Amino acid sequence: MAGQEQVENSMALEFLSLPENVGLARVAVATFAAQVDMTLNELEEIKVAVSEAVSNAIIHGYEGKPRGTVRVTAEHTAAGLVITVTDQGRGIQDVALAMQPAYSTDPERMGLGFAFMQSFMDEVEVTSEVNRGTTVRMLKVLKKAGAE
Ligand SMILES: Nc1ncnc2c1ncn2[C@@H]1O[C@H](COP(=O)(O)OP(=O)(O)OP(=O)(O)O)[C@@H](O)[C@H]1O
Ligand SMILES: [Mg+2]
Protein backbone atom coordinates (compact mmCIF):
# COMPACT_ATOMS: atom_id res chain seq x y z
CA MET A 1 0.00 0.00 0.00
CA ALA A 2 1.36 3.43 -0.89
CA GLY A 3 2.78 5.34 2.06
CA GLN A 4 2.66 2.32 4.37
CA GLU A 5 5.65 0.75 6.02
CA GLN A 6 6.31 -2.86 5.18
CA VAL A 7 5.10 -5.09 8.01
CA GLU A 8 7.65 -7.59 9.31
CA ASN A 9 5.27 -9.25 11.74
CA SER A 10 1.85 -8.54 13.21
CA MET A 11 -0.65 -9.81 15.73
CA ALA A 12 -4.21 -9.10 16.84
CA LEU A 13 -5.99 -9.96 20.06
CA GLU A 14 -9.63 -9.50 20.99
CA PHE A 15 -11.17 -9.94 24.41
CA LEU A 16 -14.16 -9.01 26.52
CA SER A 17 -13.92 -5.73 28.42
CA LEU A 18 -13.06 -7.28 31.79
CA PRO A 19 -10.33 -5.83 34.03
CA GLU A 20 -8.62 -9.21 34.34
CA ASN A 21 -7.83 -9.02 30.62
CA VAL A 22 -5.52 -6.01 31.05
CA GLY A 23 -2.75 -8.40 32.09
CA LEU A 24 -3.45 -10.63 29.10
CA ALA A 25 -3.05 -7.71 26.69
CA ARG A 26 0.11 -6.51 28.42
CA VAL A 27 1.76 -9.94 28.34
CA ALA A 28 0.71 -10.62 24.73
CA VAL A 29 2.11 -7.32 23.44
CA ALA A 30 5.27 -7.65 25.56
CA THR A 31 5.87 -11.16 24.20
CA PHE A 32 5.38 -9.90 20.66
CA ALA A 33 7.64 -6.88 21.28
CA ALA A 34 10.36 -9.01 22.88
CA GLN A 35 10.99 -10.64 19.48
CA VAL A 36 12.36 -7.29 18.39
CA ASP A 37 15.72 -6.04 19.55
CA MET A 38 15.02 -3.52 22.30
CA THR A 39 16.03 -2.71 25.85
CA LEU A 40 14.20 -4.03 28.92
CA ASN A 41 13.38 -0.44 29.75
CA GLU A 42 11.69 0.07 26.39
CA LEU A 43 9.74 -3.14 26.91
CA GLU A 44 8.54 -1.91 30.32
CA GLU A 45 7.45 1.39 28.76
CA ILE A 46 5.41 -0.45 26.11
CA LYS A 47 3.77 -2.57 28.82
CA VAL A 48 2.70 0.49 30.78
CA ALA A 49 1.35 2.24 27.67
CA VAL A 50 -0.67 -0.84 26.67
CA SER A 51 -2.04 -1.26 30.19
CA GLU A 52 -3.16 2.36 30.30
CA ALA A 53 -4.86 2.25 26.90
CA VAL A 54 -6.60 -1.06 27.58
CA SER A 55 -7.68 0.07 31.07
CA ASN A 56 -9.18 3.19 29.52
CA ALA A 57 -11.13 1.11 26.99
CA ILE A 58 -12.55 -1.07 29.78
CA ILE A 59 -13.14 1.59 32.44
CA HIS A 60 -14.20 4.56 30.32
CA GLY A 61 -15.10 3.13 26.92
CA TYR A 62 -17.40 0.46 28.31
CA GLU A 63 -17.85 2.11 31.72
CA GLY A 64 -16.71 -1.02 33.51
CA LYS A 65 -19.41 -3.23 32.02
CA PRO A 66 -18.23 -6.41 30.28
CA ARG A 67 -20.46 -5.78 27.31
CA GLY A 68 -17.91 -4.99 24.69
CA THR A 69 -14.81 -6.21 22.96
CA VAL A 70 -11.43 -4.60 23.08
CA ARG A 71 -9.12 -5.21 20.15
CA VAL A 72 -5.37 -4.87 20.44
CA THR A 73 -3.02 -5.09 17.48
CA ALA A 74 0.76 -4.88 17.24
CA GLU A 75 2.85 -4.48 14.12
CA HIS A 76 6.56 -4.53 13.65
CA THR A 77 7.48 -2.24 10.77
CA ALA A 78 10.66 -0.47 9.73
CA ALA A 79 9.38 2.57 11.66
CA GLY A 80 9.11 0.60 14.89
CA LEU A 81 6.33 -1.03 16.86
CA VAL A 82 2.83 0.19 16.13
CA ILE A 83 0.24 -0.74 18.73
CA THR A 84 -3.47 -0.02 18.49
CA VAL A 85 -6.16 -0.39 21.14
CA THR A 86 -9.74 -0.11 19.92
CA ASP A 87 -13.07 -0.13 21.70
CA GLN A 88 -16.59 0.44 20.46
CA GLY A 89 -17.66 2.17 23.61
CA ARG A 90 -18.94 5.60 24.47
CA GLY A 91 -16.19 7.59 22.74
CA ILE A 92 -14.51 10.83 23.77
CA GLN A 93 -16.18 14.18 23.18
CA ASP A 94 -13.04 16.32 23.32
CA VAL A 95 -9.87 14.33 22.66
CA ALA A 96 -7.47 17.27 23.16
CA LEU A 97 -9.00 17.98 26.59
CA ALA A 98 -9.04 14.28 27.57
CA MET A 99 -5.33 14.02 26.75
CA GLN A 100 -4.31 16.89 29.03
CA PRO A 101 -2.32 15.68 32.04
CA ALA A 102 -4.41 15.47 35.23
CA TYR A 103 -7.69 15.66 33.27
CA SER A 104 -10.18 12.96 34.20
CA THR A 105 -13.93 12.62 34.02
CA ASP A 106 -13.66 10.51 37.19
CA PRO A 107 -12.77 12.51 40.32
CA GLU A 108 -11.32 9.34 41.87
CA ARG A 109 -8.68 9.07 39.13
CA MET A 110 -5.41 10.86 38.51
CA GLY A 111 -5.98 11.51 34.81
CA LEU A 112 -2.45 10.40 33.95
CA GLY A 113 -3.04 7.51 31.56
CA PHE A 114 -2.60 9.52 28.36
CA ALA A 115 0.36 11.37 29.91
CA PHE A 116 2.10 8.01 30.51
CA MET A 117 1.33 6.85 26.98
CA GLN A 118 2.75 10.08 25.57
CA SER A 119 5.90 10.03 27.66
CA PHE A 120 6.64 6.34 27.03
CA MET A 121 5.78 6.14 23.34
CA ASP A 122 7.08 8.27 20.46
CA GLU A 123 3.68 8.98 18.95
CA VAL A 124 0.16 8.70 20.38
CA GLU A 125 -2.79 9.34 18.10
CA VAL A 126 -6.37 9.15 19.34
CA THR A 127 -9.38 8.94 17.06
CA SER A 128 -12.75 8.83 18.68
CA GLU A 129 -16.41 9.29 17.93
CA VAL A 130 -19.07 9.71 20.59
CA ASN A 131 -21.14 6.51 20.97
CA ARG A 132 -18.98 4.80 18.33
CA GLY A 133 -15.74 4.18 20.14
CA THR A 134 -12.09 5.04 20.38
CA THR A 135 -8.83 3.94 18.80
CA VAL A 136 -5.48 4.75 20.34
CA ARG A 137 -2.53 4.25 17.97
CA MET A 138 0.92 4.32 19.49
CA LEU A 139 4.34 4.12 17.88
CA LYS A 140 7.53 3.08 19.62
CA VAL A 141 10.51 3.95 17.44
CA LEU A 142 13.15 1.25 17.65
CA LYS A 143 16.63 2.49 18.27
CA LYS A 144 19.39 0.73 16.41
CA ALA A 145 21.24 -1.79 18.59
CA GLY A 146 24.31 -0.20 20.16
CA ALA A 147 23.01 3.34 19.64
CA GLU A 148 22.84 4.02 23.39
N1 LIG B 1 -11.33 4.55 25.56
C1 LIG B 1 -11.95 5.59 26.11
N2 LIG B 1 -13.29 5.77 25.96
C2 LIG B 1 -13.93 6.83 26.52
N3 LIG B 1 -13.30 7.79 27.24
C3 LIG B 1 -11.97 7.68 27.41
C4 LIG B 1 -11.23 6.59 26.86
N4 LIG B 1 -9.93 6.77 27.20
C5 LIG B 1 -9.86 7.90 27.92
N5 LIG B 1 -11.09 8.46 28.05
C6 LIG B 1 -11.39 9.74 28.75
O1 LIG B 1 -10.18 10.48 28.86
C7 LIG B 1 -9.94 10.81 30.23
C8 LIG B 1 -8.45 10.84 30.48
O2 LIG B 1 -7.88 9.52 30.39
P1 LIG B 1 -6.56 9.18 31.21
O3 LIG B 1 -6.21 7.77 31.01
O4 LIG B 1 -5.52 10.21 30.91
O5 LIG B 1 -7.00 9.44 32.73
P2 LIG B 1 -7.97 8.54 33.64
O6 LIG B 1 -8.19 7.21 33.01
O7 LIG B 1 -9.17 9.35 33.95
O8 LIG B 1 -7.09 8.36 34.95
P3 LIG B 1 -5.88 7.32 35.17
O9 LIG B 1 -5.49 6.80 33.81
O10 LIG B 1 -4.80 8.14 35.80
O11 LIG B 1 -6.45 6.25 36.05
C9 LIG B 1 -10.72 9.80 31.03
O12 LIG B 1 -11.07 10.29 32.32
C10 LIG B 1 -11.95 9.55 30.15
O13 LIG B 1 -12.92 10.54 30.36
MG1 LIG C 1 -6.65 6.06 32.25
Side-chain angles (χ1 to χ4, degrees), residues 40-111:
L40 277 181
N41 188 47
E42 288 172 320
L43 210 50
E44 282 308 314
E45 291 176 341
I46 289 170
K47 282 158 82 172
V48 173
V50 168
S51 296
E52 291 297 333
V54 171
S55 297
N56 278 352
I58 294 168
I59 296 165
H60 303 297
Y62 295 115
E63 293 156 279
K65 297 169 200 131
R67 61 185 164 88
T69 24
V70 181
R71 182 177 167 84
V72 176
T73 69
E75 270 185 3
H76 176 207
T77 73
L81 275 181
V82 180
I83 297 162
T84 70
V85 177
T86 302
D87 68 67
Q88 285 150 311
R90 68 158 201 231
I92 302 172
Q93 201 140 27
D94 186 338
V95 171
L97 179 64
M99 289 179 82
Q100 280 179 16
Y103 175 86
S104 180
T105 44
D106 180 347
E108 309 267 286
R109 296 194 170 271
M110 305 283 287

Coordinates of all heavy atoms in Angstrom, one line a residue, residues 40-111:
L40 N 15.2 -3.7 27.9 CA 14.2 -4.0 28.9 C 13.4 -2.8 29.3 O 12.2 -2.9 29.6 CB 14.9 -4.6 30.2 CG 15.2 -6.1 30.1 CD1 15.8 -6.6 31.4 CD2 14.0 -7.0 29.7
N41 N 14.1 -1.7 29.4 CA 13.4 -0.4 29.8 C 12.3 -0.1 28.7 O 11.2 0.3 29.1 CB 14.4 0.7 29.9 CG 13.8 1.9 30.5 OD1 13.1 1.9 31.5 ND2 14.0 3.1 29.8
E42 N 12.7 -0.2 27.5 CA 11.7 0.1 26.4 C 10.5 -0.9 26.5 O 9.3 -0.5 26.3 CB 12.4 0.0 25.0 CG 13.3 1.1 24.7 CD 14.1 0.9 23.4 OE1 14.6 -0.3 23.2 OE2 14.3 1.9 22.7
L43 N 10.8 -2.1 26.8 CA 9.7 -3.1 26.9 C 8.8 -2.8 28.1 O 7.6 -2.9 27.9 CB 10.4 -4.5 27.2 CG 9.7 -5.8 26.7 CD1 9.3 -5.7 25.2 CD2 10.6 -7.0 26.9
E44 N 9.4 -2.3 29.2 CA 8.5 -1.9 30.3 C 7.7 -0.7 29.9 O 6.5 -0.6 30.3 CB 9.4 -1.5 31.5 CG 10.0 -2.7 32.3 CD 8.9 -3.7 32.7 OE1 7.9 -3.3 33.2 OE2 9.1 -4.9 32.5
E45 N 8.2 0.2 29.2 CA 7.4 1.4 28.8 C 6.3 1.0 27.9 O 5.2 1.5 28.0 CB 8.4 2.4 28.0 CG 9.4 3.0 28.9 CD 10.4 3.9 28.2 OE1 10.6 3.8 27.0 OE2 11.0 4.7 28.9
I46 N 6.5 0.0 27.0 CA 5.4 -0.4 26.1 C 4.3 -1.1 27.0 O 3.1 -0.9 26.7 CB 6.0 -1.4 25.1 CG1 6.8 -0.6 24.0 CG2 4.9 -2.2 24.4 CD1 7.6 -1.5 23.1
K47 N 4.7 -1.9 28.0 CA 3.8 -2.6 28.8 C 2.9 -1.6 29.6 O 1.7 -1.8 29.7 CB 4.5 -3.5 29.8 CG 4.9 -4.8 29.1 CD 6.0 -5.5 29.9 CE 5.6 -6.3 31.1 NZ 6.8 -7.1 31.6
V48 N 3.5 -0.5 30.1 CA 2.7 0.5 30.8 C 1.7 1.2 29.8 O 0.5 1.3 30.1 CB 3.6 1.5 31.5 CG1 2.8 2.7 32.1 CG2 4.5 0.9 32.5
A49 N 2.2 1.5 28.6 CA 1.4 2.2 27.7 C 0.2 1.4 27.3 O -1.0 1.8 27.2 CB 2.2 2.6 26.4
V50 N 0.4 0.1 27.0 CA -0.7 -0.8 26.7 C -1.7 -1.0 27.8 O -2.9 -0.9 27.6 CB -0.1 -2.2 26.3 CG1 -1.2 -3.3 26.2 CG2 0.7 -2.1 24.9
S51 N -1.2 -1.1 29.0 CA -2.0 -1.3 30.2 C -2.9 0.0 30.3 O -4.1 -0.2 30.6 CB -1.2 -1.4 31.5 OG -0.5 -2.6 31.5
E52 N -2.4 1.1 30.1 CA -3.2 2.4 30.3 C -4.2 2.5 29.2 O -5.4 2.8 29.5 CB -2.2 3.6 30.2 CG -1.3 3.7 31.4 CD -2.0 3.9 32.8 OE1 -3.2 4.4 32.8 OE2 -1.4 3.5 33.8
A53 N -3.9 2.1 28.0 CA -4.9 2.3 26.9 C -6.0 1.2 27.0 O -7.2 1.5 26.8 CB -4.1 2.1 25.6
V54 N -5.6 0.0 27.4 CA -6.6 -1.1 27.6 C -7.5 -0.8 28.8 O -8.7 -0.9 28.8 CB -5.9 -2.5 27.7 CG1 -6.9 -3.5 28.0 CG2 -5.2 -2.8 26.4
S55 N -6.9 -0.3 29.9 CA -7.7 0.1 31.1 C -8.7 1.1 30.7 O -9.8 1.1 31.1 CB -6.8 0.6 32.2 OG -5.9 -0.4 32.6
N56 N -8.3 2.1 29.9 CA -9.2 3.2 29.5 C -10.4 2.6 28.7 O -11.5 3.0 28.9 CB -8.4 4.2 28.7 CG -7.7 5.2 29.5 OD1 -7.8 5.2 30.7 ND2 -6.9 6.1 28.9
A57 N -10.1 1.7 27.8 CA -11.1 1.1 27.0 C -12.2 0.4 27.9 O -13.4 0.6 27.7 CB -10.5 0.1 26.0
I58 N -11.7 -0.3 28.9 CA -12.6 -1.1 29.8 C -13.3 -0.1 30.7 O -14.5 -0.3 30.9 CB -11.7 -2.1 30.6 CG1 -11.2 -3.2 29.6 CG2 -12.6 -2.8 31.6 CD1 -10.1 -4.1 30.1
I59 N -12.6 0.8 31.4 CA -13.1 1.6 32.4 C -14.0 2.7 31.9 O -15.1 2.9 32.3 CB -12.0 2.2 33.3 CG1 -11.2 1.2 34.0 CG2 -12.6 3.2 34.3 CD1 -9.9 1.7 34.6
H60 N -13.5 3.4 30.9 CA -14.2 4.6 30.3 C -15.0 4.2 29.1 O -16.2 4.6 29.0 CB -13.2 5.7 29.9 CG -12.4 6.1 31.1 ND1 -12.9 6.7 32.2 CD2 -11.0 6.0 31.3 CE1 -11.9 7.0 33.1 NE2 -10.7 6.6 32.5
G61 N -14.4 3.5 28.2 CA -15.1 3.1 26.9 C -16.4 2.4 27.2 O -17.5 2.7 26.8
Y62 N -16.2 1.3 28.0 CA -17.4 0.5 28.3 C -17.9 0.7 29.7 O -18.7 -0.1 30.2 CB -17.0 -1.0 28.1 CG -16.7 -1.3 26.7 CD1 -15.5 -1.7 26.3 CD2 -17.7 -1.3 25.7 CE1 -15.2 -2.1 24.9 CE2 -17.5 -1.6 24.4 CZ -16.2 -2.0 24.0 OH -15.9 -2.3 22.7
E63 N -17.4 1.7 30.4 CA -17.8 2.1 31.7 C -17.9 0.9 32.7 O -18.8 0.8 33.5 CB -19.2 2.8 31.6 CG -19.1 4.2 30.9 CD -20.3 4.6 30.3 OE1 -20.6 4.2 29.1 OE2 -21.0 5.5 30.9
G64 N -16.9 0.1 32.6 CA -16.7 -1.0 33.5 C -17.6 -2.2 33.3 O -17.6 -3.2 34.0
K65 N -18.5 -2.1 32.3 CA -19.4 -3.2 32.0 C -18.8 -4.2 31.0 O -18.3 -3.7 30.0 CB -20.8 -2.7 31.5 CG -21.5 -1.8 32.5 CD -22.7 -1.1 31.9 CE -23.1 0.1 32.7 NZ -23.2 1.3 31.9
P66 N -18.9 -5.5 31.2 CA -18.2 -6.4 30.3 C -19.1 -6.7 29.1 O -19.4 -7.8 28.7 CB -18.0 -7.7 31.1 CG -19.2 -7.6 32.1 CD -19.4 -6.2 32.4
R67 N -19.5 -5.6 28.4 CA -20.5 -5.8 27.3 C -19.8 -5.5 26.0 O -20.5 -5.4 24.9 CB -21.7 -4.9 27.5 CG -21.3 -3.4 27.5 CD -22.6 -2.6 27.8 NE -22.2 -1.2 28.2 CZ -22.1 -0.2 27.4 NH1 -22.2 -0.4 26.1 NH2 -21.8 1.0 27.8
G68 N -18.5 -5.3 26.0 CA -17.9 -5.0 24.7 C -16.6 -5.7 24.5 O -16.1 -6.3 25.4
T69 N -16.1 -5.6 23.3 CA -14.8 -6.2 23.0 C -13.8 -5.1 22.8 O -14.0 -4.0 22.3 CB -14.8 -7.0 21.7 OG1 -15.8 -6.6 20.8 CG2 -14.9 -8.5 21.9
V70 N -12.6 -5.4 23.3 CA -11.4 -4.6 23.1 C -10.5 -5.3 22.1 O -10.3 -6.5 22.2 CB -10.7 -4.4 24.4 CG1 -9.5 -3.4 24.2 CG2 -11.6 -3.8 25.5
R71 N -10.0 -4.6 21.1 CA -9.1 -5.2 20.1 C -7.8 -4.5 20.3 O -7.6 -3.3 20.3 CB -9.7 -5.0 18.7 CG -8.9 -5.7 17.6 CD -9.6 -5.5 16.3 NE -8.7 -5.8 15.2 CZ -8.5 -7.0 14.7 NH1 -9.2 -8.0 15.3 NH2 -7.7 -7.2 13.7
V72 N -6.7 -5.4 20.3 CA -5.4 -4.9 20.4 C -4.6 -5.4 19.3 O -4.6 -6.6 19.0 CB -4.7 -5.3 21.8 CG1 -3.3 -4.9 21.8 CG2 -5.5 -4.7 23.0
T73 N -3.9 -4.6 18.5 CA -3.0 -5.1 17.5 C -1.6 -4.6 17.7 O -1.4 -3.5 18.3 CB -3.5 -4.6 16.1 OG1 -3.3 -3.2 15.9 CG2 -4.9 -5.0 15.8
A74 N -0.6 -5.3 17.2 CA 0.8 -4.9 17.2 C 1.4 -5.2 15.9 O 1.1 -6.3 15.3 CB 1.5 -5.6 18.4
E75 N 2.2 -4.3 15.4 CA 2.8 -4.5 14.1 C 4.3 -4.1 14.3 O 4.6 -3.0 14.9 CB 2.2 -3.5 13.1 CG 1.1 -4.1 12.3 CD 0.6 -3.2 11.2 OE1 1.2 -2.1 11.0 OE2 -0.3 -3.6 10.5
H76 N 5.2 -4.9 13.7 CA 6.6 -4.5 13.7 C 6.8 -4.1 12.2 O 6.7 -4.8 11.3 CB 7.4 -5.8 14.0 CG 8.9 -5.5 13.9 ND1 9.8 -6.5 13.7 CD2 9.6 -4.4 14.0 CE1 11.0 -6.0 13.6 NE2 10.9 -4.7 13.8
T77 N 7.1 -2.8 12.1 CA 7.5 -2.2 10.8 C 8.9 -1.6 10.9 O 9.5 -1.6 11.9 CB 6.5 -1.1 10.3 OG1 6.7 0.0 11.1 CG2 5.0 -1.6 10.5
A78 N 9.4 -1.1 9.7 CA 10.7 -0.5 9.7 C 10.7 0.8 10.6 O 11.7 1.1 11.2 CB 11.0 -0.1 8.3
A79 N 9.5 1.4 10.8 CA 9.4 2.6 11.7 C 9.5 2.2 13.1 O 9.8 3.1 14.0 CB 8.1 3.3 11.4
G80 N 9.1 1.0 13.5 CA 9.1 0.6 14.9 C 7.9 -0.3 15.2 O 7.4 -1.0 14.3
L81 N 7.5 -0.2 16.5 CA 6.3 -1.0 16.9 C 5.1 -0.1 16.9 O 5.1 0.9 17.5 CB 6.5 -1.6 18.3 CG 7.3 -2.9 18.4 CD1 7.4 -3.3 19.9 CD2 6.6 -4.0 17.6
V82 N 4.1 -0.6 16.2 CA 2.8 0.2 16.1 C 1.8 -0.6 16.9 O 1.6 -1.8 16.6 CB 2.4 0.4 14.7 CG1 1.0 1.2 14.7 CG2 3.4 1.1 13.9
I83 N 1.2 0.0 17.9 CA 0.2 -0.7 18.7 C -1.1 0.0 18.7 O -1.1 1.3 18.8 CB 0.7 -0.8 20.2 CG1 2.0 -1.7 20.2 CG2 -0.3 -1.5 21.1 CD1 2.8 -1.5 21.5
T84 N -2.2 -0.7 18.4 CA -3.5 0.0 18.5 C -4.4 -0.7 19.5 O -4.3 -1.9 19.7 CB -4.2 0.0 17.1 OG1 -4.6 -1.4 16.8 CG2 -3.3 0.5 16.0
V85 N -5.2 0.1 20.2 CA -6.2 -0.4 21.1 C -7.5 0.2 20.7 O -7.6 1.5 20.7 CB -5.8 0.0 22.6 CG1 -6.9 -0.5 23.6 CG2 -4.4 -0.6 23.0
T86 N -8.5 -0.6 20.4 CA -9.7 -0.1 19.9 C -10.9 -0.6 20.8 O -11.0 -1.8 21.1 CB -9.9 -0.6 18.5 OG1 -8.9 -0.1 17.7 CG2 -11.3 -0.1 17.9
D87 N -11.8 0.3 21.1 CA -13.1 -0.1 21.7 C -14.2 0.5 20.9 O -14.1 1.4 20.2 CB -13.1 0.3 23.2 CG -13.2 1.8 23.4 OD1 -14.2 2.4 23.0 OD2 -12.3 2.4 23.9
Q88 N -15.4 -0.1 21.1 CA -16.6 0.4 20.5 C -17.5 1.0 21.5 O -18.7 0.7 21.5 CB -17.3 -0.6 19.6 CG -16.5 -0.9 18.3 CD -16.6 -2.3 17.8 OE1 -16.4 -3.3 18.6 NE2 -17.0 -2.4 16.6
G89 N -16.9 1.7 22.5 CA -17.7 2.2 23.6 C -18.2 3.6 23.4 O -18.5 4.0 22.3
R90 N -18.2 4.3 24.5 CA -18.9 5.6 24.5 C -18.2 6.7 23.7 O -18.8 7.7 23.4 CB -19.3 6.0 25.9 CG -18.1 6.4 26.7 CD -18.5 7.3 27.9 NE -17.3 8.1 28.3 CZ -16.9 8.1 29.5 NH1 -17.6 7.5 30.5 NH2 -15.8 8.8 29.8
G91 N -16.9 6.6 23.5 CA -16.2 7.6 22.7 C -15.8 8.8 23.6 O -16.2 8.9 24.8
I92 N -15.0 9.7 23.0 CA -14.5 10.8 23.8 C -15.0 12.1 23.0 O -14.7 12.2 21.8 CB -13.0 10.8 23.8 CG1 -12.5 9.5 24.5 CG2 -12.4 12.0 24.6 CD1 -11.0 9.3 24.4
Q93 N -15.6 13.0 23.8 CA -16.2 14.2 23.2 C -15.1 15.1 22.7 O -15.1 15.7 21.6 CB -17.1 14.9 24.2 CG -18.1 15.8 23.6 CD -19.4 15.7 24.3 OE1 -19.5 15.4 25.4 NE2 -20.5 16.0 23.5
D94 N -14.1 15.4 23.6 CA -13.0 16.3 23.3 C -11.7 15.6 23.6 O -11.2 15.6 24.7 CB -13.2 17.6 24.2 CG -12.2 18.7 23.9 OD1 -11.2 18.4 23.3 OD2 -12.5 19.8 24.2
V95 N -11.1 15.1 22.5 CA -9.9 14.3 22.7 C -8.7 15.2 23.2 O -8.0 14.7 24.1 CB -9.5 13.7 21.3 CG1 -8.1 13.0 21.4 CG2 -10.5 12.6 20.9
A96 N -8.6 16.4 22.7 CA -7.5 17.3 23.2 C -7.6 17.5 24.7 O -6.6 17.5 25.4 CB -7.5 18.6 22.4
L97 N -8.8 17.7 25.1 CA -9.0 18.0 26.6 C -8.7 16.7 27.4 O -8.0 16.7 28.4 CB -10.5 18.4 26.8 CG -10.9 18.7 28.3 CD1 -10.1 19.8 28.9 CD2 -12.4 18.9 28.3
A98 N -9.2 15.6 26.9 CA -9.0 14.3 27.6 C -7.6 13.9 27.7 O -7.2 13.3 28.7 CB -9.8 13.2 26.8
M99 N -6.7 14.4 26.7 CA -5.3 14.0 26.8 C -4.5 14.9 27.6 O -3.3 14.7 27.9 CB -4.8 14.0 25.3 CG -5.3 12.8 24.6 SD -4.7 12.7 22.9 CE -3.1 11.9 23.1
Q100 N -5.1 16.0 28.1 CA -4.3 16.9 29.0 C -4.0 16.2 30.3 O -4.8 15.5 30.9 CB -5.1 18.2 29.3 CG -5.0 19.2 28.2 CD -5.8 20.4 28.5 OE1 -6.2 20.7 29.6 NE2 -6.1 21.2 27.4
P101 N -2.7 16.3 30.8 CA -2.3 15.7 32.0 C -3.2 16.2 33.2 O -3.6 17.3 33.3 CB -0.9 16.2 32.3 CG -0.4 16.6 30.9 CD -1.6 17.0 30.2
A102 N -3.6 15.2 34.0 CA -4.4 15.5 35.2 C -5.9 15.7 34.9 O -6.7 16.0 35.8 CB -3.9 16.6 36.1
Y103 N -6.3 15.6 33.6 CA -7.7 15.7 33.3 C -8.3 14.3 33.4 O -7.8 13.3 32.8 CB -7.9 16.2 31.9 CG -9.4 16.2 31.5 CD1 -10.2 17.2 31.8 CD2 -10.0 15.1 30.9 CE1 -11.6 17.2 31.6 CE2 -11.3 15.0 30.6 CZ -12.1 16.1 30.9 OH -13.5 16.0 30.7
S104 N -9.4 14.2 34.1 CA -10.2 13.0 34.2 C -11.6 13.3 34.4 O -12.0 14.3 35.0 CB -9.7 12.1 35.4 OG -10.5 10.9 35.4
T105 N -12.5 12.4 33.8 CA -13.9 12.6 34.0 C -14.4 11.9 35.3 O -15.5 12.0 35.7 CB -14.7 12.1 32.8 OG1 -14.2 10.8 32.5 CG2 -14.7 13.0 31.6
D106 N -13.4 11.2 35.9 CA -13.7 10.5 37.2 C -12.8 11.2 38.3 O -11.6 11.1 38.3 CB -13.3 9.0 37.0 CG -13.5 8.2 38.2 OD1 -13.8 8.8 39.3 OD2 -13.5 7.0 38.1
P107 N -13.5 11.8 39.3 CA -12.8 12.5 40.3 C -11.9 11.6 41.2 O -11.0 12.1 41.9 CB -13.9 13.2 41.2 CG -15.1 12.4 40.8 CD -15.0 11.9 39.4
E108 N -12.1 10.3 41.1 CA -11.3 9.3 41.9 C -10.0 9.0 41.2 O -9.1 8.4 41.8 CB -12.1 8.0 42.0 CG -13.5 8.2 42.6 CD -13.6 8.0 44.1 OE1 -13.4 6.9 44.5 OE2 -13.7 9.1 44.7
R109 N -9.9 9.5 39.9 CA -8.7 9.1 39.1 C -7.7 10.2 39.0 O -8.1 11.4 39.1 CB -9.1 8.6 37.7 CG -9.9 7.3 37.9 CD -10.1 6.6 36.6 NE -10.7 5.3 36.9 CZ -10.0 4.2 37.2 NH1 -8.7 4.2 37.1 NH2 -10.6 3.1 37.6
M110 N -6.5 9.9 38.6 CA -5.4 10.9 38.5 C -5.4 11.6 37.1 O -4.9 12.6 37.0 CB -4.0 10.2 38.7 CG -3.9 9.4 39.9 SD -3.6 10.4 41.4 CE -1.9 10.9 41.0
G111 N -6.0 10.9 36.1 CA -6.0 11.5 34.8 C -4.6 11.5 34.2 O -4.2 12.4 33.4

